[in-house]
Amino acid sequence: MRFPAFRFLSFAISALLVCSALVAPVQVSAATQKSKSAAHQGKKRVRHGSWKRHGQQKIDEQRAREIQEALIRENYLEGSPSGVWDQRTKAAMVKYQDDHGWQTKVLPDSRALIALGLGPKHDNLLNPESVEPARGTAPAASPTTRATVKPLESARNQR
């Protein structure tokens, strides 16, 4: 008699283990899903300022005057330079950039400034000869440069 009771008890325990194994992962996964969604709902993205505020905010009065003088010289602007980056200056710059096939959303474009003769200044450089020359101006080759180039080329050809 003891033997059938032991068999029934072992059968009941194994059935409970199988049921708990099937039910437990569902409960755990549901709990983790709830905790993830609850944690996600509590967090909100907060923006501190706008990314558009980086960089130059407005054009300096002296620089605006230089640009206006160049636009007047190129017949894209009329009148005298005021030093204020106003709507008529913007319109003249848009027309200048459009006539040259450049973008017109960012004003002024660096290519337009260089073409107007307002590119970077190299006055205070220690080695101004190391700066790449502007397009269209080829540096004059000195006799020492010509003399050193030929032996180097002949040495390369011998290898």
Side-chain angles (χ1 to χ4, degrees), residues 130-146:
S130 65
V131 176
E132 186 176 316
R135 292 182 188 167
T137 58
S142 63
T144 56
T145 307
R146 289 186 191 136

Side-chain angles (χ1 to χ4, degrees), residues 98-121:
D98 188 44
D99 287 351
H100 287 83
W102 300 323
Q103 59 84 24
T104 57
K105 293 184 184 214
V106 178
L107 298 174
D109 187 63
S110 60
R111 293 172 291 189
L113 292 176
I114 292 170
L116 287 169
L118 303 173
K121 297 187 176 26

